[in-house]
Amino acid sequence: MEDLTVREAQQKVDDWIKTYGVRYFNELTNMAILVEEVGELARVISRRYGEQSFKENEKDISLADELTDVMWVLICLANQTGVDLTSAFIENMKKKTERDSERHKNNIKL
């Protein structure tokens, strides 16, 4: 299996769009597609880990595939809006660490 950085994934999606996809859908369309894909992911999780059950024709739906569909559209949105997800992730982790370094440890609900 090939290891892939987030930056490389962004480049692979961009290359695929330019080769096979003609162009990116506009940002609003991709946002709607992202919500649709998250809904499909929620459906799988609610059936696999929640109280709902799968219909007979849904039993082979792949959680990994649904997660990757969400990741694909998220990367499309990042690419078309100029967001470097690697840098953004590093900054977001710093923010969370500074803000929440003790918060969860001190949460009596956890």
Side-chain angles (χ1 to χ4, degrees), residues 20-34:
Y20 303 104
V22 181
R23 64 173 178 78
Y24 287 93
F25 296 127
N26 70 45
E27 295 84 353
L28 288 174
T29 298
N30 271 336
M31 188 64 219
I33 293 169
L34 179 61

Side-chain angles (χ1 to χ4, degrees), residues 54-68:
F54 284 105
K55 294 176 184 171
E56 193 58 40
N57 64 340
E58 296 176 323
K59 292 186 178 189
D60 293 331
I61 296 174
S62 166
L63 177 60
D65 191 51
E66 297 302 334
L67 283 164
T68 307

Side-chain angles (χ1 to χ4, degrees), residues 81-98:
T81 58
V83 174
D84 176 344
L85 286 171
T86 299
S87 298
F89 182 82
I90 291 166
E91 288 303 311
N92 192 271
M93 288 297 296
K94 286 180 190 174
K95 175 187 80 174
K96 284 176 175 32
T97 301
E98 290 170 9

